Amino acid sequence: MANKPEGNNKIYRLTLLDDSSHKRIKSVRFTKTGFVIAVVTAGVLFTMLVYCLIAFTPLRTSIPGYPDARTKRQAIENAIKIDSLESVITRWELYSENLSRVLTGEETISLDSIIPGNTTKYLKNISQEDIALQDSILRSKTGKK
């Protein structure tokens, strides 16, 4: 009775046989709880293996949300190109507007009239002596004359 389990736990046997000779190749004995534990353990190990494979290899770049260095560099280069293209378009628009004004006999638009006039507004409230004093302090700190 040493091999007989206690209670209603039945022992099952899974046997692999050679089809032509009917010779036993492998035999495994298990209970229902042992089988469930083995399946859950295999599932957890398989999940951990897939996670490690994705998290620690270059395979993660194929998943959306994991940009690689090349993608980031390309995004920065595209932003720089867009900025330069916007400035080229602005210059062409100014050129075409001035050309049409010249052809109609109107006065041309200067680049200074497009730039807002209040860019030096903060300097109007400061006297020339204060500006000279701040300039001399800055020059003494940087060591320039």
Side-chain angles (χ1 to χ4, degrees), residues 22-43:
H22 297 290
K23 194 175 196 181
R24 186 184 326 174
I25 299 172
K26 181 79 174 169
S27 180
V28 178
R29 294 173 43 158
F30 57 90
T31 62
K32 285 183 184 180
T33 56
F35 179 72
V36 170
I37 289 172
V39 167
V40 169
T41 303

Side-chain angles (χ1 to χ4, degrees), residues 111-121:
L111 186 60
D112 295 336
S113 66
I114 297 174
I115 299 173
N118 61 359
T119 55
T120 59
K121 182 179 180 181

Side-chain angles (χ1 to χ4, degrees), residues 75-85:
I76 292 170
E77 289 173 4
N78 287 343
I80 292 170
K81 286 179 185 178
I82 288 172
D83 186 48
S84 19
L85 287 173

Side-chain angles (χ1 to χ4, degrees), residues 12-62:
Y12 298 93
R13 183 184 309 235
L14 178 65
T15 306
L16 297 174
L17 300 174
D18 184 12
D19 195 35
S20 61
S21 67
H22 297 290
K23 194 175 196 181
R24 186 184 326 174
I25 299 172
K26 181 79 174 169
S27 180
V28 178
R29 294 173 43 158
F30 57 90
T31 62
K32 285 183 184 180
T33 56
F35 179 72
V36 170
I37 289 172
V39 167
V40 169
T41 303
V44 168
L45 289 175
F46 180 73
T47 304
M48 288 175 52
L49 175 72
V50 169
Y51 173 77
C52 289
L53 191 71
I54 291 173
F56 301 116
T57 63
L59 188 62
R60 71 175 174 254
T61 58
S62 64

Side-chain angles (χ1 to χ4, degrees), residues 86-97:
E86 285 176 345
S87 67
V88 167
I89 289 172
T90 304
R91 281 185 283 166
W92 273 101
E93 286 175 347
L94 179 63
Y95 174 78
S96 66
E97 178 65 27

